[in-house]
Each structure stands twice: as structure tokens, then as C-alpha cells.
Amino acid sequence: VNRLDSKKRTGSRRPRHLRLVFLVAPLVLLLAACSGSGPQSALEPQGPVARTINHLWLLVFSIAAGVFILVEAALIYALIRYRARKGDDREPVQVHGNPKLEIILTIIPALILASIGYPVVKGIFDVRAIASGPDVLQVHVIGHQWWWEFQYVDYVGQDGRALTTANELYIPEDTEVNLTMTSADVIHSFWVPTLAGKRDLVPGRISNITLAADDPTPPDQPHPGQCAEFCGLAHADMRFKVHVRTQADFDAWIAAQLEPATIPTQGAAAAGYETFSNTCVACHGATVAGPDGVTRLGPERQIEIGDVTFAAAYAPDLTHFGSRFTFAGSTFDNTEEHVAQWIENPSALKPMHPELNDVANGRILGMPDLGLSSDQIDSLVTLLEGWK
Ligand SMILES: [Cu+2]
């Protein structure tokens, strides 16, 4: 500090705090390395696609670090060894051109770049390849402000529609999954750091990404994913989870999800269904079964892009809401208390723009406060949590 002070007095113009910043910033960065990695670490890949990306990163980083250390060491050595000393007024030897040295210094970087370039370009093609074949699971993904819609196009229910869910993607272990993606509104980006890279979802366009996971995940530890392209007010709450299951568990999950929800005939759930079928189906879809057979409720629009048709909902499908761990862009745990709070005043839990909704034209920017009584809310919670 004394030295800094005296420098300042003798007219150094650089402010003192700037020097502190230069001293402290590297220390902070160094300490940050001690934090360990969180659940969304691309450095702990748990599937082949993420592993390819991580290998490339490791390769490029280690070569770059090697070059950095060599060059800096040579620089520091030269600075110290050949520095001007007192009374030393010799002029260094002046060299003009040295073909041998120049050729060597061209060839070495060229070789280094080639050894990085080949695996990187190959890696880009590998990671971009669209998985196909009979063993590949096909899923459509539609990005919405601010939640995710997943449709299992290979699995069609009694209503003739592809199995549809929201914010929680289930995949079998050790299986390639081809996601065919688009957006219902603005640009979003699909990112599960432990399983794959990022891929944008662009309205009017199709993008694909391949997911594959090595091992099943415990129910409470799915792979966390999130939107990685700023998409408006609740962008930070546009998350999702990827649950990995053994093939047998996955098949059981599919079978259960393909079943329609039962229309309750008595008690609170029946009262909840009354409100549900009058109010909620203005936006939400659900496939229900009663004495009259299977009925599909709720609005839907077809988004056609090339030869792919996406059946895009207005709001999350609620047929099996009770089986989900989380809701509202995987922002909240699915408990009765949270769901009651949500139905009472959704915007208090998640920032949204329901005042801009234009339901007739399929423009939905959030769930509005519907002004329901607490009895109505309680019976809706009973209904939805019962739809496992
Ligand atoms: Cu988004």
C-alpha cells in the first residue's frame, strides 16, 4: 500500500483501485475453480454426444494451454536474460530474414492447427448428424414462451394423437433420441449440458438434436435442461428435466401416459372437473375418458413446416399432470400447495404477460388469474393431482 501511495504522489495517473482490480480478479477466478461443478456441467458428460463435445474441448484446451505456457516461458526468459543493464549500450544484433527459422515457425503452427482442425470439423459433423433408424426414438419438441412441449410421435393414444407432455422428457437409457424441434413463438434454445450441446428452436424452421444417456437417473435427479436463448420475461424460468429410465421402466411410463384421464363422478374431483371443463380447456388440452368414451379437450393448432406437422398446444397438456415432478417450466415442485398458489395467481409465482393473451389467435404469453374461489381451487388441485 505504501508503494502504491508513493507512486500516486509521484504522479502515476492510474487510479489505485484499478490496480486492486487487477490483483483481485485473478484470485477470484482461481477461487471459483474450487467450487466444484454443479448439476449443469458440460465437463461431466453423461452421454455419447456430450462426451464428443467434451473431448473436443479438452483437446483444444490442452493444446492451447501447452502453446501458452511455452510462449510465455520463452518470453519471460528473453525479457530477463536479455534485458538492458546499466551502462550497457550495445545494440543487439540486427537480423533480416532467416528462411530456415521462418519455415519452421510456419510449419509448426500449421501442424498444430491441423491437429485441432481435423477432429473439430469431424466432431461438428458427428454432433450435427440426425439420428435415424428403427432403434431411434422420435420426439417432437415445441418451444413456447415459457415452457416446453414434448410429443412422442411413435406413440399414439386412443384419441389418435401423439403422447404429449410438458417440461419433463423421458428417454430410455443407451438409446439415441432424435428431437425434431420448432417454436410456436420466438427463438428458444434447447440445452441439456450433461447430455448434448445447444440447438436453437426457430419459428418456421425445423432443427434437430440427438440425445443419448448412459444410465438411468434416480427419480429426484433428472438431467436439468433450460432455454439458452433469451426469449422474454420468464426466459430464466423456461427449464425442463430429462428423466432417463431402463427400457422396461420407459415402456411402463409410455403405457401409463397413453391412458386417458378418468372423468371423476363424485366428490371434490368431480367439482374440479366441472370448473376444468368450463374454464381451463380454453387453453389446456387433456384426453379424458367417461361413460361416453374417450374425448379430447382443449385447443390445438397445426404448425406445418416442410413435410413435418407439429400439433402445438396453447398451454401444457394436463392429462397426467399428477405424474409430473415439477411444473411451470420445471420451476416449482409439483405439490398441492404450489399448484393451489399457481391457480390462484400464476403471475405471482412466475413473471408472465397474460394481459397480452389473444386466445382466439393462439397467442398465449402466460396463464391469467382466473378469479376462482378457494373451494374451486381446492377441487381443481384434487382433480389434477389425481390425474397420475
Ligand atoms: Cu425460451
Side-chain angles (χ1 to χ4, degrees), residues 46-50 127 129 131 136-137 139 141 150 169-179 181 190-197 208-214 223 240-244:
Q46 288 166 51
V49 184
V127 165
V136 174
L137 176 68
V139 180
V141 181
F150 300 117
L169 180 66
Y170 281 66
I171 63 173
E173 65 176 323
D174 236 349
T175 302
E176 281 189 315
V177 185
N178 172 33
L179 304 185
M181 313 193 289
F190 182 94
W191 191 30
V192 200
T194 44
L195 297 183
N208 291 85
I209 192 167
T210 305
L211 284 189
D214 299 332
H223 296 282
F240 61 98
K241 302 279 189 280
V242 180
H243 291 270
V244 187

Side-chain angles (χ1 to χ4, degrees), residues 143-148 183 185-190 201 226-232 234-239:
H144 295 266
Q145 283 169 313
W146 292 278
W147 59 283
W148 299 86
S183 165
D185 35 55
V186 299
I187 300 179
H188 303 281
S189 183
F190 182 94
L201 292 77
Q226 67 184 62
C227 179
E229 178 73 49
F230 180 68
C231 59
H235 162 67
D237 289 335
M238 185 172 166
R239 300 175 229 173

Side-chain angles (χ1 to χ4, degrees), residues 251-280:
D251 292 341
W253 181 81
I254 289 278
Q257 298 281 314
L258 279 174
E259 288 299 316
T262 310
I263 300 177
T265 48
Q266 50 189 321
Y273 187 75
E274 184 70 24
T275 318
F276 182 82
S277 54
N278 288 329
T279 312
C280 314

Side-chain angles (χ1 to χ4, degrees), residues 142-149 183-186 188 231-235 238 279-285 298-301 303 312-317 342 346-347 350-370:
I142 301 154
H144 295 266
Q145 283 169 313
W146 292 278
W147 59 283
W148 299 86
E149 183 173 15
S183 165
D185 35 55
V186 299
H188 303 281
C231 59
L233 195 56
H235 162 67
M238 185 172 166
T279 312
C280 314
V281 297
C283 300
H284 289 280
E300 182 179 292
R301 63 202 125 157
I303 302 180
Y314 284 29
D317 191 291
W342 173 263
S347 292
K350 180 171 177 175
M352 298 180 289
H353 281 307
E355 74 281 3
L356 299 179
N357 284 353
D358 176 1
V359 180
N361 291 306
R363 177 180 156 88
I364 315 277
L365 282 147
M367 173 156 152
D369 175 352
L370 296 159

Side-chain angles (χ1 to χ4, degrees), residues 70-343:
L70 282 178
V71 170
E72 291 305 308
L75 182 68
I76 291 169
Y77 174 79
L79 278 175
I80 295 172
R81 176 81 174 74
Y82 300 108
R83 70 186 185 281
R85 294 184 173 81
K86 238 192 197 128
D88 183 0
D89 57 359
R90 285 174 305 154
E91 197 183 334
V93 186
Q94 302 295 305
V95 183
H96 293 280
N98 183 339
K100 209 159 133 197
L101 190 65
E102 282 166 18
I103 288 174
I104 293 175
L105 288 185
T106 306
I107 289 179
I108 293 179
L111 287 178
I112 294 176
L113 287 182
S115 65
I116 293 177
Y118 174 73
V120 166
V121 172
K122 184 177 177 301
I124 290 173
F125 280 92
D126 287 351
V127 165
R128 285 205 75 92
I130 299 177
S132 61
D135 299 334
V136 174
L137 176 68
Q138 301 288 345
V139 180
H140 282 185
V141 181
I142 301 154
H144 295 266
Q145 283 169 313
W146 292 278
W147 59 283
W148 299 86
E149 183 173 15
F150 300 117
Q151 298 182 332
Y152 292 76
V153 287
D154 297 337
Y155 298 96
V156 175
Q158 296 166 37
D159 54 0
R161 299 179 71 259
L163 195 171
T164 300
T165 184
N167 304 316
E168 294 183 3
L169 180 66
Y170 281 66
I171 63 173
E173 65 176 323
D174 236 349
T175 302
E176 281 189 315
V177 185
N178 172 33
L179 304 185
T180 301
M181 313 193 289
T182 194
S183 165
D185 35 55
V186 299
I187 300 179
H188 303 281
S189 183
F190 182 94
W191 191 30
V192 200
T194 44
L195 297 183
K198 292 174 192 166
R199 192 76 83 240
D200 280 6
L201 292 77
V202 183
R205 285 175 156 265
I206 292 176
S207 50
N208 291 85
I209 192 167
T210 305
L211 284 189
D214 299 332
D215 300 309
T217 48
D220 57 342
Q221 279 169 27
H223 296 282
Q226 67 184 62
C227 179
E229 178 73 49
F230 180 68
C231 59
L233 195 56
H235 162 67
D237 289 335
M238 185 172 166
R239 300 175 229 173
F240 61 98
K241 302 279 189 280
V242 180
H243 291 270
V244 187
R245 295 289 181 265
T246 61
Q247 187 66 49
D249 286 352
F250 176 76
D251 292 341
W253 181 81
I254 289 278
Q257 298 281 314
L258 279 174
E259 288 299 316
T262 310
I263 300 177
T265 48
Q266 50 189 321
Y273 187 75
E274 184 70 24
T275 318
F276 182 82
S277 54
N278 288 329
T279 312
C280 314
V281 297
C283 300
H284 289 280
T287 302
V288 294
D292 305 335
V294 175
T295 316
R296 178 68 194 173
L297 304 172
E300 182 179 292
R301 63 202 125 157
Q302 310 289 325
I303 302 180
E304 273 172 48
I305 305 169
D307 50 7
V308 183
T309 303
F310 294 87
Y314 284 29
D317 191 291
L318 297 178
T319 311
H320 289 280
F321 179 76
S323 73
R324 297 212 267 272
F325 292 89
T326 57
F327 69 97
S330 266
T331 309
F332 306 102
D333 287 337
N334 183 0
T335 64
E336 291 189 358
E337 202 192 339
H338 289 163
V339 178
Q341 287 172 356
W342 173 263
I343 299 173

Side-chain angles (χ1 to χ4, degrees), residues 45-59:
Q46 288 166 51
V49 184
R51 214 155 23 240
T52 306
I53 295 171
N54 191 44
H55 282 163
L56 284 179
W57 180 83
L58 273 176
L59 175 83

